[in-house]
Amino acid sequence: MIIQLENNISGDRLEKIKSQVLKMGFDHNLVKTQFANYLVGIGKKDIDLRTIGSLEGIEDIHRVSDQYKLVSSKWKLNQTAVDLGDGILIGNGNFGIMAGPCSIESEEQVIHTVEHLKKNHIYIMRGGVYKPRSSPYSFRGLGIEGLRMFHKHCSENGIKIITEVMQVSQIDEMLKYVDIFQVGARNSQNFNLLDALGKVDKPVMLKRGIAGTIDELLQAAEYIFSNGNEKILLCERGIRTFEKAYRNTLDLNAVAILKDKSHLPVIVDSSHGIGIRKYIEPMTLAGVMTGADGIIIEVHEEPEKAISDGQQSLNFDEADALYKNVRTILQAKRQLN
Ligand code: PEP
Ligand code: MN
């Protein structure tokens, strides 16, 4: 059960509501976000909402008995739009394109990628400075110095930054340079990290775990929301299956299901989702058709020389074609019944 409370509810009214919730046989959890206050009732009982709905201080009340509640579409009928500032939104009809290298490698690379994005009217650049790598001997990113340099060029050019945060201790130093914190597949159920990102007023893009179910992804998102941060993007980036012909299995079923089960925007990452350059465009377009609210694409000026994930990075010309075709598909999709 989700009880939306009046924004400035008095302590007195809140106590009355809490005690009624307990009387009805529910535990409760008070959630205060950037936008609203909620009392989440935890329990499985069948209830008559009229026994509580008339209490003062309640704006709205909804029955949600799933393990995840605040991220569920059962109580929020409108789709969420995540606002990145400066008129850039993702979700609820606003499509987001994010592109850039797997790893931030050099200043020259950032300058050239920013130029490429601006030419294509793209305002969100991706690029990791803390890189989760399967081998400890691989390049692990330029760290906070790299992020400062990345931020300098992006902020001078009106470009927002999405970059991965790997641990709680990095959040504070990254905060002023980041527009979207990315939680990588390997950290999808790092509950301490999710708790901490729930206390920050910055959008978070949460990737699905390598072997994570849809339900687990939604429960992970619930950690962020229930700690106070409603600005969440869900990301399908492929899961590990028995198939060896490609890197991961981009699960477009999940995109359709997430769009139904949750009000949060869904992003498709076909770069990691299939992991082979020549299939990135068709899989991206399929993701758009499936209902994604945005895409995230790995792009590199010279993919052969990329320090990480070159095999799945598009060069600038390939990326130009992809953006154009994504926009064509979006337009065509608007004409469908
Ligand atoms: C990445 O975005 O470069 C990355 C490491 O992603 P994932 O966590 O999906 O593997
Ligand atoms: Mn990558």
Side-chain angles (χ1 to χ4, degrees):
M1 171 174 54
I2 295 176
I3 301 171
Q4 253 174 290
L5 302 167
E6 270 174 1
N7 262 352
N8 298 313
I9 188 166
S10 68
D12 218 32
R13 286 183 176 183
L14 181 58
E15 284 316 310
K16 279 200 187 121
I17 297 168
K18 281 182 177 172
S19 75
Q20 182 63 22
V21 167
L22 288 173
K23 250 193 244 163
M24 290 160 73
F26 285 80
D27 284 331
H28 55 64
N29 192 24
L30 181 63
V31 173
K32 293 185 174 194
T33 73
Q34 311 94 331
F35 305 126
N37 298 330
Y38 310 90
L39 194 69
V40 180
I42 301 141
K44 280 270 172 206
K45 297 209 159 192
D46 206 16
I47 41 156
D48 181 351
L49 296 182
R50 283 170 302 184
T51 56
I52 187 158
S54 57
L55 288 183
E56 284 177 321
I58 293 181
E59 291 255 308
D60 214 344
I61 178 160
H62 312 265
R63 204 179 265 119
V64 186
S65 54
D66 300 314
Q67 287 298 316
Y68 52 86
K69 299 180 188 298
L70 292 159
V71 304
S72 167
S73 50
K74 281 192 187 153
W75 74 275
K76 193 172 177 195
L77 299 177
N78 295 336
Q79 295 279 306
T80 290
V82 172
D83 191 345
L84 304 180
D86 302 318
I88 304 173
L89 293 127
I90 303 180
N92 197 23
N94 305 282
F95 194 84
I97 301 183
M98 307 178 241
C102 179
S103 304
I104 297 299
E105 298 169 2
S106 68
E107 187 153 21
E108 194 191 10
Q109 176 209 38
V110 172
I111 292 170
H112 292 174
T113 310
V114 164
E115 270 169 24
H116 157 79
L117 295 180
K118 278 176 70 175
K119 191 188 94 186
N120 284 289
H121 308 287
I122 291 173
Y123 301 103
I124 311 170
M125 179 164 161
R126 64 149 289 146
V129 295
Y130 294 112
K131 296 302 303 176
R133 304 304 301 275
S134 299
S135 163
Y137 306 117
S138 300
F139 174 65
R140 292 168 74 177
L142 294 179
I144 195 69
E145 285 309 319
L147 180 57
R148 277 197 198 106
M149 176 275 290
F150 182 16
H151 176 261
K152 174 178 175 290
H153 293 287
C154 285
S155 60
E156 284 170 7
N157 287 282
I159 304 252
K160 306 285 180 191
I161 287 180
I162 174 165
T163 193
E164 178 161 356
V165 56
M166 287 182 62
Q167 56 186 36
V168 175
S169 61
Q170 292 164 346
I171 295 175
D172 273 355
E173 62 176 16
M174 292 174 78
L175 198 59
K176 60 174 180 284
Y177 306 117
V178 171
D179 299 289
I180 307 174
F181 280 110
Q182 172 174 321
V183 176
R186 291 155 193 81
N187 266 318
S188 193
Q189 287 188 305
N190 178 338
F191 301 120
N192 293 329
L193 183 60
L194 302 177
D195 278 343
L197 289 169
K199 298 192 169 81
V200 159
D201 186 17
K202 276 277 163 90
V204 176
M205 185 180 82
L206 174 63
K207 288 195 167 197
R208 183 178 181 185
I210 289 170
T213 65
I214 293 171
D215 219 66
E216 284 166 339
L217 176 63
L218 289 168
Q219 291 189 64
E222 186 83 11
Y223 269 84
I224 301 171
F225 200 134
S226 64
N227 272 282
N229 187 358
E230 296 196 24
K231 299 177 181 173
I232 307 167
L233 306 164
L234 303 171
C235 178
E236 164 58 36
R237 51 76 73 199
I239 47 173
R240 186 166 287 179
T241 67
F242 53 80
E243 185 52 66
K244 297 257 189 314
Y246 41 75
R247 186 176 180 187
N248 291 301
T249 298
L250 182 68
D251 180 9
L252 293 180
N253 297 352
V255 177
I257 290 176
L258 287 168
K259 287 296 301 169
D260 184 32
K261 300 234 178 257
S262 177
H263 54 81
L264 297 173
V266 177
I267 308 299
V268 166
D269 174 353
S270 46
S271 303
H272 294 87
I274 190 160
I276 304 170
R277 187 180 309 137
K278 69 175 170 184
Y279 306 122
I280 304 297
E281 178 171 323
M283 295 316 292
T284 303
L285 300 181
V288 175
M289 278 312 298
T290 313
D293 299 285
I295 54 168
I296 183 159
I297 297 288
E298 287 187 337
V299 173
H300 197 283
E301 191 171 17
E302 292 177 283
E304 326 48 58
K305 296 196 182 148
I307 300 181
S308 60
D309 285 350
Q311 82 292 344
Q312 65 192 32
S313 300
L314 303 184
N315 66 33
F316 288 171
D317 290 343
E318 290 164 336
D320 289 348
L322 177 140
Y323 309 138
K324 193 162 161 274
N325 289 334
V326 164
R327 286 169 172 148
T328 303
I329 292 281
L330 280 169
Q331 252 176 15
K333 197 164 164 264
R334 282 189 204 110
Q335 281 155 34
L336 294 174
N337 287 315

